[in-house]
């Protein structure tokens, strides 16, 4: 088993290398290294831009890679928070419906901002229409989608926590069944909404894309959105990391040691929901990443949350950037959406987890 | 005189409405080892949880050195009273040393981490419980006896003055049962106080300074082992299937016996 420190250093060093590789290698061809570095420096305001087309390509690839890094880190962090909170390795954000809740919230925001909401949110109903329309497209949409996603994610975590906990104990079968029920309900609602707005091509496509996950055509706004949410969620880590370890013995035992269990639960739920909602807001629903990455990190460096939580951010980032890099390098124009890749990989991983933990699963 | 730990008029009902503790009074003095016995469901474990503030009584109150337990913060309580549960799940790779360090949670500064006195307290607790040679072993690899000693190490590391121990000898062989009780007795002789819940009346006879018998959430009697562990008290509580005798040192012996009999005292 690796020490958390050496694994952390490896991941932190690997991330910028993978981001640079992602900028070099893409569907439209391979850039040389100096061009890549100059283009990245220009995108960050540290140098003159490349010839127009090359600079556009570099920037598209850079925002794509940085968004992927943020989304990977956020989903992995959310997964570790949720698994620690429910004291179960199968409780990933997508399995218990958190990313589904965030998708539902984000879709509601898209509908509201597209003219399907109350009059005060639509430019046409406002006497100062043009001004509000500008505000709507420039800033409000960027803010409302993650905000609604957050509300959806928090709502699902509270629902799942309430239904699956009794006297401080989590019932794993109830947890997973609640996740199935929540995911089914959300899928139903999203299908209903999609069918109702089928004639509005832009809106139905936006909702459709959200349900499969996408990292194409991301901008600096997406990068800032996901990394801001991730930074806020990460700020919670020092306040809950040891406490989540102590919660392994149950809420009563943790309380007897002096842990404020209610505070730890609220902070962890808030941080998990915020991280998942930030990821869903910029990339849609990418299933199973929050399940796979925490398990890989646990296998590599142990189960303690004091190391697992900080490792989740570079770990998830390296994982999704790496998956996207391979996806684009090998499949080029046929590259799959990240949500599709993760569903294929993660679904098999989930089945393997169940198969290898048969004895434990049989005792539920 | 103010007791170290005192409870008066405690009433507690489970969420289903079953009365677990019914108007119970309790006091614990310095250097006292009270063993609480009683039939299954008599409220023993509930009493421990009420005494450390994990459960809120419907009526009555608990105080530590005269201060209401409810007025103390979680950390303040944990620094004064430590609970050893009957069994505990841990993360698979938590080492014995890290597990014992959890006993210092209420004392360790979040931003600074363990200081020299924290490390000293953990080391000394592991030495006292004879798990210092297992400090790097994962908790999941320990035998039942080693695990019980590690749980006591965590409690001793907390430096709490009151130890509440829930059935510490369940599942242990006779040698380990005696060793665990000797450990608790040694801590009491160093100025701590302990309340131990057990079904083993003979361990109560050997180690308790005072034995308390509970039945249906009420105190039947409390006193020195010689006065409490006799047929007049125990048969009405446990039934006829007991055999009474006397140990070589004169202490009472009580053995479950299929044929009802009242030999000895």
């Amino acid at each position: 088993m690796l020490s958390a420190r050496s694994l952390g250093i490896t991941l932190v060093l690997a991330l910028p290398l993978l981001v640079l590789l992602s900028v070099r290698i893409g569907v439209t061809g391979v850039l040389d290294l100096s061009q890549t570095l100059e283009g990245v420096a220009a995108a960050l305001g540290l140098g003159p831009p490349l010839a127009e087309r090359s600079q556009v390509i570099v920037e598209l690839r850079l925002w794509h890679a940085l968004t992927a890094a943020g989304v990977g880190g956020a989903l992995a962090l959310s997964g570790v928070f949720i698994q620690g909170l429910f004291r179960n390795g199968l409780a990933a954000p997508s399995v218990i419906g958190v990313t589904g809740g965030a998708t539902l919230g984000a879709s509601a925001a898209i509908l509201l901002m597209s003219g399907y909401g109350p009059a005060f949110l639509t430019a046409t109903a406002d006497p100062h229409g043009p001004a509000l329309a500008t505000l709507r497209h420039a800033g409000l949409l960027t803010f409302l989608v993650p905000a609604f996603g957050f509300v959806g994610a928090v709502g699902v975590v509270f629902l799942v926590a309430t239904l699956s906990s009794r006297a401080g104990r989590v019932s794993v079968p109830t947890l997973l069944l609640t996740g199935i029920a929540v995911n089914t309900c959300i899928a139903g609602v999203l299908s209903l909404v999609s069918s109702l707005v089928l004639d509005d091509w832009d809106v139905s496509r936006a909702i459709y894309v959200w349900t499969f996950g996408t990292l194409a055509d991301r901008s600096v706004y997406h990068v800032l959105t996901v990394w801001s949410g991730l930074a806020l969620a990460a700020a919670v880590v020092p306040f809950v990391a040891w406490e989540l370890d102590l919660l392994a013995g149950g809420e009563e035992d943790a309380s007897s040691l002096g842990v404020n269990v209610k505070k730890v639960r609220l902070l962890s739920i808030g941080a998990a929901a915020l991280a998942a909602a930030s990821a869903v807001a910029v990339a849609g629903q990418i299933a199973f990443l929050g399940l796979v990455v925490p398990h890989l990190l646990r296998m590599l460096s142990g189960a303690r949350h004091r190391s697992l939580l900080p490792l989740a951010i570079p770990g998830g980032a390296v994982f999704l950037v790496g998956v996207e890099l391979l996806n684009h390098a090998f499949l080029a124009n046929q590259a799959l959406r990240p949500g599709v890749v993760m569903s294929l990989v993660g679904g098999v991983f989930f089945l393997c987890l169940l198969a290898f933990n048969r004895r434990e699963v049989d005792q539920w | 005189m103010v007791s170290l730990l005192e409870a008066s008029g405690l009433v507690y009902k489970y969420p289903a409405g079953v009365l677990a503790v019914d108007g119970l009074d309790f006091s614990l003095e310095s250097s006292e080892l009270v063993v609480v016995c009683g039939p299954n469901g008599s409220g023993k474990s509930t009493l421990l949880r009420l005494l450390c503030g994990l459960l809120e009584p419907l009526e009555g109150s608990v105080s530590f050195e005269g201060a209401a337990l409810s007025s103390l913060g979680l950390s303040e309580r944990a620094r004064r009273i430590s609970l050893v549960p009957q069994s505990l799940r841990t993360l698979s790779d938590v080492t014995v040393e890290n597990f014992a360090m959890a006993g210092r949670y209420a004392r360790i500064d979040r931003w600074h981490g363990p200081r020299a006195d924290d490390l000293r307290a953990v080391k000394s607790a592991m030495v006292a419980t004879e798990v210092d040679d297992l400090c790097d072993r994962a908790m999941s690899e320990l035998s039942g006896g080693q695990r019980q000693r590690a749980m006591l190490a965590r409690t001793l590391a907390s430096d709490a003055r009151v130890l509440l121990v829930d059935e510490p000898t369940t599942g242990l062989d006779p040698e380990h049962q005696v060793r665990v009780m000797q450990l608790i007795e040694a801590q009491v002789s160093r100025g701590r106080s302990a309340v131990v819940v057990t079904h083993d009346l003979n361990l109560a006879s050997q180690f308790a300074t005072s034995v308390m018998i509970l039945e249906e959430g009420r105190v039947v009697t409390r006193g020195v082992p010689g006065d409490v562990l006799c047929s007049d008290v125990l048969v009405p509580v446990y039934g006829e299937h007991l055999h009474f005798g006397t140990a070589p040192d004169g202490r009472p012996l009580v053995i479950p016996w299929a044929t009802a009999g009242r030999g000895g005292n």
Side-chain angles (χ1 to χ4, degrees), chain B residues 167-242:
Chain B
E167 301 197 31
T169 56
T170 302
L172 300 185
D173 60 53
E175 173 64 21
H176 281 102
Q177 289 183 24
V178 169
R179 282 175 66 182
V180 164
M181 289 305 293
Q182 281 174 331
L183 256 169
I184 297 168
E185 187 183 45
Q187 293 305 314
V188 170
S189 69
R190 286 178 199 147
R192 285 175 165 159
S193 303
V195 183
V196 178
V197 162
T198 182
H199 282 292
D200 195 318
L201 299 167
N202 296 312
L203 290 175
S205 171
Q206 286 178 76
F207 293 99
T209 53
S210 159
V211 178
M212 187 164 97
I213 304 290
L214 291 187
E215 187 181 28
E216 293 179 348
R218 295 190 202 96
V219 179
V220 174
T221 186
R222 179 175 169 175
V224 294
D227 291 345
V228 173
L229 301 175
C230 57
S231 59
D232 290 345
V233 172
L234 297 183
V235 169
V237 174
Y238 286 100
E240 290 285 334
H241 291 119
L242 295 172

Side-chain angles (χ1 to χ4, degrees), chain A residues 56-239:
Chain A
V56 170
I57 290 172
V58 165
E59 288 190 13
L60 274 176
R61 290 181 185 176
L62 180 65
W63 305 140
H64 170 273
L66 290 178
T67 305
V71 168
L75 288 175
L77 185 67
S78 179
V80 177
F81 272 127
I82 285 174
Q83 289 170 14
L85 194 62
F86 289 107
R87 304 191 287 283
N88 191 283
L90 298 178
S94 57
V95 176
I96 66 167
V98 179
T99 45
T103 305
L104 187 63
S107 302
I110 292 168
L111 282 176
L112 285 173
M113 297 310 296
S114 307
Y116 292 90
F120 70 90
L121 280 170
T122 59
T124 48
D126 193 279
H128 309 292
L132 188 57
T134 309
L135 177 69
R136 194 178 84 188
H137 291 296
L140 205 53
L141 190 64
T142 318
F143 167 74
L144 270 191
V145 171
F148 273 58
F150 177 71
V151 172
V154 168
V156 168
V157 180
F158 270 110
L159 178 70
V160 171
T162 307
L163 289 178
S164 62
S165 305
R166 191 161 190 169
R169 289 180 188 276
V170 177
S171 158
V172 180
T174 314
L175 175 71
L176 298 178
L177 289 172
T178 309
I180 291 169
V182 167
N183 278 327
T184 309
C185 290
I186 288 170
V189 173
L190 286 173
S191 301
L192 173 70
V193 170
S194 300
S195 62
L196 288 176
V197 297
L198 207 55
D199 293 336
D200 194 334
W201 168 243
D202 287 336
V203 176
S204 57
R205 183 178 184 277
I207 291 173
Y208 182 76
V209 162
W210 238 254
T211 58
F212 283 96
T214 181
L215 288 163
D217 302 328
R218 300 299 91 175
S219 68
V220 70
Y221 292 110
H222 295 105
V223 176
L224 290 176
T225 300
V226 68
W227 281 98
S228 308
L230 178 54
L232 280 175
V236 166
V237 169
F239 299 97

